[in-house]
Amino acid sequence: MLRSKYLIRRFFYTLSNYGISATLKKIYKTCFYSNKIDLDKLNIPNNLGLDDLFLKFGTDKGSLDGKKTYDFLEKNKDGEKKFKSYYEWINRNNPRNFEYQFGLNFTPYYEKYLGPLRDKSLKILEIGVANGHSVASWFYYFPNSEIHAVDIKKKHKFLYKGKRINYHSLDCLDNVAVRKFITKNNNFDIIIDDSFHEQPAITNNIKNFYPTLNPGGIYVLEDFNTADHILKIERKYNEDSGKKLMHRWSILTSEIFDYIKNKKMFKHEIFKEDDLKYIFDTIDRVEVHDLELEHPWASLGFLFKKKN
Ligand SMILES: C[S@@+](CC[C@H](N)C(=O)[O-])C[C@H]1O[C@@H](n2cnc3c(N)ncnc32)[C@H](O)[C@@H]1O
């Protein structure tokens, strides 16, 4: 149902923007060829660094945000977009030749912690991949790894394909579906959570996915300080009037990282005592980077699992 609605919308969009002949060509291509961008066949220079890859494919993880620039790129004087498709955009000659808004600037942190693992043969999972721009970047950054991409969105929203890429349409808050996914796809070396940046998704994902990390694996949580920001304001507002917050998600994610770092038990709706014991027994170290000074909602938390 969703897919047909999407196709009908695409049909009228293409017809009104590009005319009947381009529309028929597109229908032909969609029916007889996969319309996904094949990463095994793209001609990406192999000297691109991680930040260049982030910019080229347009995730906001890099210092600049390529995707939004593509979305809002001006039309030329004939009313046509400068780039007719994402495929053309990715192949733009000079990726830095546009006016970009700032990205989250995670590159130095990813290079520091994940860079040494670049050439290994790993199993990587990203939860929350949208149209796949970060997955495409990881595909080139980790040339020997298998990448699993999870999103609540249906597969047709994911723009890419590749021999080392597996897309899974999954709601990470649906614990039954997550169990099934994990039984089938265990275990990972790197897990990146860029999905729903709020409680309870943040903790639910750590509870479900951290145990699926191999020894020596790394769990990364992005952008948790947006939710922390709001909670801090709410806390202060109440405290200033001598009140205490009573709702279920009143622990900051940064506090949860501190509890884990110090192996200190805490009461939580999602983490039960056994979950926390497992984390405390297997955690090697925790690194938290609040990057608010660089970007209003940039933050990164890394959980490093013991090697054995
Ligand atoms: C910030 S975007 C991901 C961006 C992508 N990682 C990138 O760098 O280009 C967040 C994604 O999380 C997905 N998401 C939100 N809630 C989810 C859920 N409950 N389960 C799985 N994915 C979810 C959204 O559909 C969205 O595509």
Side-chain angles (χ1 to χ4, degrees), residues 16-276:
S16 59
N17 282 281
Y18 304 116
I20 186 73
S21 122
T23 310
L24 291 174
K25 247 193 225 159
K26 229 181 168 131
I27 292 175
Y28 177 79
K29 264 175 97 179
T30 309
C31 294
F32 295 104
Y33 300 97
S34 161
N35 55 356
K36 294 202 183 293
I37 298 170
D38 189 343
L39 295 173
D40 289 306
K41 294 192 179 141
L42 267 190
N43 199 7
I44 300 291
N46 56 12
N47 60 352
L48 290 189
L50 185 58
D51 205 54
D52 292 315
L53 287 169
F54 284 157
L55 180 61
K56 189 153 193 61
F57 289 105
T59 160
D60 61 358
K61 289 183 187 354
S63 53
L64 300 167
D65 185 344
K67 177 164 191 292
K68 301 215 170 54
T69 304
Y70 169 79
D71 285 346
F72 297 106
L73 208 63
E74 289 160 24
K75 294 179 174 171
N76 66 19
K77 56 181 176 359
D78 301 322
E80 278 187 345
K81 271 210 154 195
K82 279 183 193 150
F83 295 90
K84 289 209 174 91
S85 66
Y86 227 90
Y87 182 79
E88 274 187 24
W89 166 250
I90 286 165
N91 284 306
R92 63 205 187 277
N93 286 336
N94 180 358
R96 296 200 174 255
N97 190 20
F98 298 91
E99 177 117 23
Y100 295 96
Q101 73 172 45
F102 281 127
L104 299 161
N105 205 11
F106 291 155
T107 310
Y109 303 90
Y110 276 129
E111 279 177 334
K112 176 173 174 192
Y113 298 119
L114 307 188
L117 309 173
R118 239 191 126 166
D119 294 321
K120 290 191 189 282
S121 163
L122 306 171
K123 200 166 154 191
I124 299 173
L125 167 67
E126 182 164 11
I127 315 165
V129 295
N131 305 109
H133 310 299
S134 50
V135 173
S137 318
W138 299 132
F139 182 89
Y140 288 101
Y141 192 63
F142 294 101
N144 304 312
S145 292
E146 173 186 326
I147 300 164
H148 290 259
V150 159
D151 203 285
I152 197 168
K153 291 177 179 160
K154 296 283 174 234
K155 192 174 181 177
H156 64 269
K157 296 271 181 177
F158 190 74
L159 292 181
Y160 304 90
K161 67 176 183 181
K163 288 198 186 85
R164 296 183 285 111
I165 291 186
N166 304 274
Y167 183 82
H168 312 266
S169 173
L170 174 73
D171 176 0
C172 62
L173 285 168
D174 175 348
N175 285 325
V176 175
V178 168
R179 279 282 119 225
K180 272 194 201 152
F181 168 82
I182 288 172
T183 310
K184 232 172 138 186
N185 299 290
N186 234 0
N187 291 52
F188 301 99
D189 299 291
I190 297 173
I191 298 174
I192 297 157
D193 180 4
D194 185 18
S195 60
F196 187 37
H197 301 301
E198 288 197 16
Q199 301 285 355
I202 290 175
T203 36
N204 205 50
N205 283 344
I206 297 179
K207 175 184 166 119
N208 285 330
F209 290 101
Y210 173 82
T212 75
L213 269 183
N214 284 325
I218 304 174
Y219 186 101
V220 190
L221 175 66
E222 294 189 356
D223 298 344
F224 56 85
N225 69 351
T226 339
D228 276 11
H229 248 330
I230 294 166
L231 189 55
K232 277 183 201 161
I233 294 169
E234 204 184 349
R235 245 188 211 179
K236 186 170 181 317
Y237 173 65
N238 276 271
E239 276 168 12
D240 286 351
S241 323
K243 303 272 184 203
K244 198 170 166 236
L245 274 192
M246 304 292 277
H247 65 66
R248 290 149 80 204
W249 312 114
S250 49
I251 298 187
L252 302 171
T253 304
S254 59
E255 288 169 342
I256 293 178
F257 280 131
D258 279 342
Y259 283 126
I260 296 178
K261 209 176 205 168
N262 299 313
K263 302 192 178 179
K264 193 165 168 240
M265 280 290 169
F266 58 100
K267 290 250 172 287
H268 195 269
E269 182 121 347
I270 286 183
F271 287 127
K272 302 297 169 229
E273 204 176 317
D274 279 354
D275 301 315
L276 292 172

